[in-house]
Structures are given as structure tokens and as C-alpha cells.
Amino acid sequence: HEIAWTRRLLGLGLLLVACQSPPVERSPNAGTGASTNAAGSAEAPPSASAVPPIVPPNSLSEGEFTRLFHELSEPDRYFFSDNFVSNETSYLQPIAELSARAAKGGAYLGVGPEQNFSYLALLEPKLAFIVDIRRANALEHLLYKAIFEAATSRSHFVALLLARDYDAETDPGPSAPIKAVLAHATRSTPDPKRFSELHAMLVKKLQSKGLSFEAEDQKTLTATHRAFFDRGLELSFELHDKNGRKYPRLSELLSAEDSRGSTGFLGTEAAFRAVQQLQRDNRIIPVVGDFAGDHAILRIAAELRRRALPVSVFYTSNVEQYLMEPDKWKAWTRNVEALPSNEKSLFLRCYLDQGRRHPLQLQGHRTATVVASFDHFKWRNKTRGYGSFFQLVTDGLGADAGH
């Protein structure tokens, strides 16, 4: 799998240390093939038995895409940062393990901006939902969708993202390294008039699909695209209340390399085209939702059951860090139980070092990204529980790792 991934998608044969040692406590059904598919909800989702399961299609209609975006989403919620780009330099860390352990062709759930695309290129899901508490994130993914669909090459993609002019005649081509792609995409001088023209074209493309945007959404779409235009490849994650910490720039995230010189979703033509096809097939659906809410995750769970699609990977980043309060944790684990899963379903989590290093944290990184089993999480949560987020992200790494 790792060789196939390296050649076919991202070239990501990572320097991965083993992300997880054999668990100190093994969940009873781990590796047995037993399916875990329970449901419980505050808002009863549509019954899976009321509608016969449907075969997952190779694509969704634009009407179905638009319906799911609107029907699955919750109201907007405040968050304390602008996540135009990721702040996780370790996002490539788990690729080798995912390649070995994750099932392809299932469902993918994720959170946050562009880091999802590298996971999607590897996993090739039938359906993907990007769930974030901020409506701005969903709108950013709609913008990405329009850009993916309009782009003729990787360089054109970056040029559209930054609202720059693009020269097809000098495009470095499908075999070009990522640094050549970025250099070509940023050759032209930023032009405010050109920004307005390109942004209007992308919004019109989204509206042609039946998506309608209120004035506030229009404002958010413009502000998001303008952030990329104004700061270009220097754009980085920002807290609303600045703390003086420097976060990785977009250029660093897009051209990140492991010790073998592997990169992310723009690193190879095959990886870029894989995500582009998912976008053109309407199979990446942004959703506004709280992981511990009473609507979005439960409705996604019902949709997946209706389509007979188990979760392959749920990329939660560090969201669970904010769900450790008893009531929120209870609602979160209820939502996890509602999702259709099996013995191969995995969590993908990111730990941000705030003064305590993760055992698997790589040199030069402030973050560590780790893989964990759905079954083990559900068993441990029911039997012993988790006392802290650090304990959660180090579960299985040794008797004292999480204390």
C-alpha cells in the first residue's frame, strides 16, 4: 500500500515512527470483524430502516450536493481563530499508517481547511463530509470546490486560490515539483481588479449549482478569498487574540516534505487529480456543525447508514480537546456511537504541544498526528473513560503515557 501510494498519489512514503504500539488494554472486539453500529440521538435522525439502503453512487447530482449542504448544517458558531489555513505541520505524519490500516471506499469525516485534501487523495472515499463549527470554514470549502473544478493544472489551482493571473503556456507541467508549481503560480503581480473578476467568476460557478448566499455569506466568501489574495503564500493561521507565536505559512504547508522528500496533495499530479475528481463528482460536502451538537453528526450518521457506508477515517484534529466537559463529552460519544463503523474504522487526531511533548512528536514540530481505532475508543470510553485530552491522544502508548 505504501509503495502504491508513493507512486500513485502523494509520493508520501513517510519517515513515520510507529504511531501506535500495541494497546496496554485491548478492546474485546478489536480485530474480530465485529461491527459497531449503534445509534442514540437528541434529535431523532431519519430511520435507517424507513428507507432501503442505496448503493453509493460514483457521483452526486448538484441538487443532492446542495441539499446535503443545507440540510445537514447547523447555525454558525463563534471560534477564537481564523483557520484560513492549517497550523498542523505534522499532517503528513500518519500517511504510511493510514495507507496500511485504513479502508478505501468508505466515508471520510474531517475538520478544518486544506489538510483534508491530502487524506482524501489517499483514502479515495465514496463520500466525504468536512464538518466545522464555523460557517466560514464551510464557505471556504465551497470556494475550494469552485477552484478545483475550474483549475486546469496544479499551478492554475494555486493561481486561482491566490487570485493571480495564470499563464498556461509556461505552466511547469504535470511532473513539476511543488516548488516549481508555487513559483509559477505567483509570477504575476497581485491586481485588485483581477481579484474582483476571478472572485466573481468563482462565486457565479457556485451559484450555477443552485447554491444561494445571503449578504453575510457573500461577505465571508470575499473576505476569505481576499485573505489569500492579500497575503499569498505568506498566509498563516491566526488567533483573534494574538499570542506572538509564529504559525506555518501556506507555502510551508503546501511544500512540506518528510525525510524522503514527499509532499501533500499538490505534490503530485495524481494526488491533485484524485481530489479534483472527488470535487467534480460532488462527493466532498462541507457542513457547519458542532461535534457535540444535536444535528449535523447525527444527520450525517443517518445519511451514511442509508447509503450503507461505514466510516473509514474521522479526522478530528484537536477538537476533542474542547469537548472534555462531561455534558459535551457525553454528546460527542453519543454522536460517535451513531456513526456506522467497523473494525477498520479509524480516528485521526492532532495534538498541539502547549508545554508537554507528545511521545510521537517529531523533531522540529509543535504538533503530532496519530491514528487510533474506533472500536478501542468506544470500548475504553465505556470501561475506563479518559481524564484528559493528553490521555486520549496517548492511549495505547504505554501504561503511564497519558498520566
Side-chain angles (χ1 to χ4, degrees):
H1 288 292
E2 184 175 350
I3 294 173
W5 163 244
T6 302
R7 291 178 177 171
R8 195 164 149 242
L9 292 177
L10 301 179
L12 286 171
L14 280 163
L15 73 156
L16 191 71
V17 268
C19 269
Q20 202 164 18
S21 304
V24 175
E25 297 178 272
R26 186 172 177 81
S27 50
N29 60 347
T32 64
S35 176
T36 55
N37 181 2
S41 64
E43 173 193 289
S47 171
S49 60
V51 181
I54 59 176
V55 177
N58 291 324
S59 64
L60 298 183
S61 69
E62 291 181 347
E64 185 77 347
F65 173 89
T66 301
R67 179 188 70 79
L68 289 171
F69 167 63
H70 287 301
E71 290 185 5
L72 300 181
S73 289
E74 300 173 0
D76 190 19
R77 298 278 296 278
Y78 171 79
F79 199 66
F80 54 77
S81 62
D82 289 327
N83 296 57
F84 295 124
V85 300
S86 173
N87 62 353
E88 300 171 14
T89 59
S90 62
Y91 76 96
L92 299 179
Q93 184 178 1
I95 296 297
E97 186 171 7
L98 286 177
S99 181
R101 294 179 60 186
K104 291 188 176 183
Y108 172 90
L109 279 74
V111 65
E114 85 293 330
Q115 67 268 46
N116 289 279
F117 300 138
S118 293
Y119 304 140
L120 290 168
L122 169 64
L123 297 167
E124 301 177 3
K126 284 287 187 183
L127 210 52
F129 297 93
I130 312 298
V131 186
D132 197 291
I133 201 168
R134 300 166 305 114
R135 187 171 179 83
N137 191 75
L139 294 171
E140 180 173 342
H141 274 282
L142 290 178
L143 185 65
Y144 267 121
K145 177 178 177 58
I147 292 170
F148 266 108
E149 292 187 4
T152 57
S153 70
R154 291 179 292 153
S155 179
H156 191 201
F157 172 88
V158 178
L160 288 170
L161 179 63
L162 305 183
R164 301 283 190 94
D165 272 325
Y166 164 71
D167 181 7
E169 291 185 1
T170 58
D171 190 294
S175 61
I178 182 61
K179 289 184 179 179
V181 170
L182 298 181
H184 181 267
T186 53
R187 290 174 60 181
S188 63
T189 303
D191 179 352
K193 181 180 179 182
R194 190 64 176 138
F195 166 80
S196 297
E197 292 171 351
L198 289 172
H199 183 73
M201 179 272 290
L202 293 170
V203 172
K204 185 176 181 180
K205 188 174 184 64
L206 292 172
Q207 291 171 330
S208 71
K209 299 176 180 298
L211 290 162
S212 58
F213 302 106
E214 299 293 337
E216 192 63 28
D217 283 349
Q218 293 271 15
K219 181 179 176 182
T220 300
L221 280 167
T222 302
T224 299
H225 203 185
R226 184 169 287 282
F228 285 92
F229 172 74
D230 288 342
R231 298 185 59 187
L233 295 177
E234 297 296 307
L235 183 63
S236 62
F237 169 92
E238 286 187 0
L239 294 169
H240 294 163
D241 295 327
K242 305 295 186 291
N243 62 4
R245 188 184 299 277
K246 290 186 177 181
Y247 295 98
R249 295 168 295 170
L250 179 60
S251 60
E252 296 174 86
L253 293 166
L254 294 181
S255 61
E257 296 185 359
D258 69 2
S259 62
R260 303 178 187 181
S262 303
T263 62
F265 77 99
L266 285 178
T268 68
E269 184 76 3
F272 169 68
R273 296 299 181 186
V275 183
Q276 184 180 56
Q277 192 60 54
L278 287 171
Q279 296 280 17
R280 288 176 172 175
D281 289 343
N282 298 316
R283 288 192 280 153
I284 303 175
I285 303 161
V287 175
V288 187
D290 181 351
F291 281 16
D294 294 334
H295 181 85
I297 298 294
L298 295 174
R299 293 299 295 262
I300 289 171
E303 192 68 32
L304 294 181
R305 289 198 303 274
R306 188 170 74 90
R307 298 175 184 274
L309 274 179
V311 172
S312 173
V313 169
F314 193 159
Y315 162 61
T316 59
S317 186
N318 67 325
V319 171
E320 288 156 300
Q321 179 178 349
Y322 307 106
L323 304 179
M324 299 303 295
E325 299 172 13
D327 289 345
K328 289 183 178 179
W329 190 256
K330 183 178 180 181
W332 160 237
T333 54
R334 172 206 65 194
N335 291 349
V336 171
E337 291 284 350
L339 290 165
S341 65
N342 57 36
E343 77 284 354
K344 295 203 71 175
S345 300
L346 300 171
F347 282 110
L348 187 58
R349 298 184 172 105
C350 183
Y351 173 77
L352 280 75
D353 183 350
Q354 296 172 311
R356 187 178 190 182
R357 287 185 63 83
H358 191 281
L360 300 181
Q361 195 169 322
L362 302 175
Q363 188 65 34
H365 292 265
R366 186 179 167 239
T367 61
T369 306
V370 297
V371 179
S373 160
F374 248 63
D375 278 355
H376 178 78
F377 169 78
K378 290 194 279 189
W379 170 77
R380 167 70 185 259
N381 185 63
K382 290 175 180 176
T383 56
R384 290 185 58 197
Y386 294 97
S388 68
F389 182 62
F390 189 79
Q391 189 177 77
L392 174 65
V393 295
T394 56
D395 185 21
L397 299 181
D400 299 320
H403 300 282

